[in-house]
Amino acid sequence: MELYTSQGCTQCPRANRLLGRFSHDDGVLALTFAVGIWDYLGWSDTFAQPDFTNRQRDYSQALHVRGRFTPQLVMNGVRQISASDWDEARAALEEVRAMPPPANAPEVSITRLRNNNVRVTVSATGRTVNADIWLVAFDPGPVTVVVARGVNVNRTVAHYNIAHTIERAGTWTGASVWLERPRCSPECAVLVQEPNGGPILAAAYTYRPARYN
């Protein structure tokens, strides 16, 4: 699950809290990607990056969404919904979780090594596949920011599982593969995903006790 959020969005602080709650569900990897879609209103989001904006644009095209918006939840690359309504978002999550796994889904693991690098292993499936391997460095949080201008002026905005970087680390074609990368911290997630905002086939992440209450 990916939340596209902005510190310049009035409904996003509440959506951020929803993402924090979803992150405690068994089997749910919930990540927050900040985008600068509302920066023109007077406050530049402190975590937004062009890579996150490009990722949201890919989803808009792949999922046939007219334009970009916040707060937006994208689930497994196959479903998107506004995070403004908690009940609707929960229902959508349960529908996606009930779907069978993709036929070409591999086993994927990620391990932090003693030198603080991470090692990723993706299994073979016997099928020819075209997929990207993404590494996401994120902070479980909560990470708080006091907004000094714009529509959320003087509001303290909390973020959960906030992404710092996303890197395309390699490709997966159906054969087993492993790779090692440095500087994926404080925590790291790996996503095996069909190109251009396609479905996520498998994911894993390094573990850290949650700080969300």
Side-chain angles (χ1 to χ4, degrees):
M1 170 187 294
E2 301 169 36
L3 172 66
Y4 289 86
T5 185
S6 174
Q7 295 161 9
C9 156
T10 56
Q11 299 181 50
C12 286
R14 188 169 183 270
N16 293 355
R17 294 195 298 274
L18 174 64
L19 189 283
R21 293 185 182 278
F22 282 165
S23 70
H24 284 265
D25 285 16
D26 291 339
V28 173
L29 169 59
L31 297 170
T32 297
F33 290 94
V35 291
I37 189 172
W38 305 113
D39 286 1
Y40 73 92
L41 296 178
W43 175 257
S44 295
D45 192 289
T46 58
F47 295 115
Q49 294 191 28
D51 286 344
F52 305 159
T53 297
N54 293 338
R55 186 169 177 83
Q56 188 184 28
R57 284 196 177 113
D58 284 344
Y59 279 134
S60 293
Q61 294 177 5
L63 298 174
H64 307 290
V65 180
R66 181 175 294 180
R68 297 184 301 123
F69 68 93
T70 59
Q72 181 187 31
L73 280 173
V74 179
M75 302 177 185
N76 288 0
V78 298
R79 175 80 182 273
Q80 69 83 37
I81 192 172
S82 170
S84 299
D85 188 307
W86 284 25
D87 291 337
E88 289 184 2
R90 168 60 71 181
L93 174 60
E94 295 306 322
E95 289 177 7
V96 171
R97 295 181 73 180
M99 294 178 179
N104 53 350
E107 296 291 329
V108 60
S109 65
I110 183 169
T111 306
R112 191 173 297 284
L113 307 178
R114 289 185 178 182
N115 60 5
N116 210 35
N117 288 2
V118 292
R119 177 172 292 167
V120 172
T121 303
V122 185
S123 71
T125 61
R127 297 169 178 262
T128 301
V129 184
N130 178 27
D132 298 317
I133 302 173
W134 296 96
L135 286 180
V136 182
F138 69 95
D139 189 332
V143 179
T144 60
V145 173
V146 179
V147 178
R149 294 182 299 279
V151 297
N152 286 327
V153 61
N154 297 327
R155 191 170 182 179
T156 299
V157 179
H159 307 75
Y160 305 90
N161 290 0
I162 181 73
H164 292 319
T165 62
I166 184 168
E167 172 197 1
R168 184 179 174 276
T171 59
W172 180 65
T173 59
S176 61
V177 64
W178 73 270
L179 55 88
E180 186 175 320
R181 290 291 187 276
R183 299 184 303 277
C184 194
S185 63
E187 297 298 329
C188 191
V190 55
L191 311 174
V192 180
Q193 182 175 20
E194 293 184 10
N196 304 315
I200 293 176
L201 305 179
Y205 60 100
T206 56
Y207 176 76
R208 178 175 178 175
R211 288 183 271 157
Y212 180 74
N213 294 313

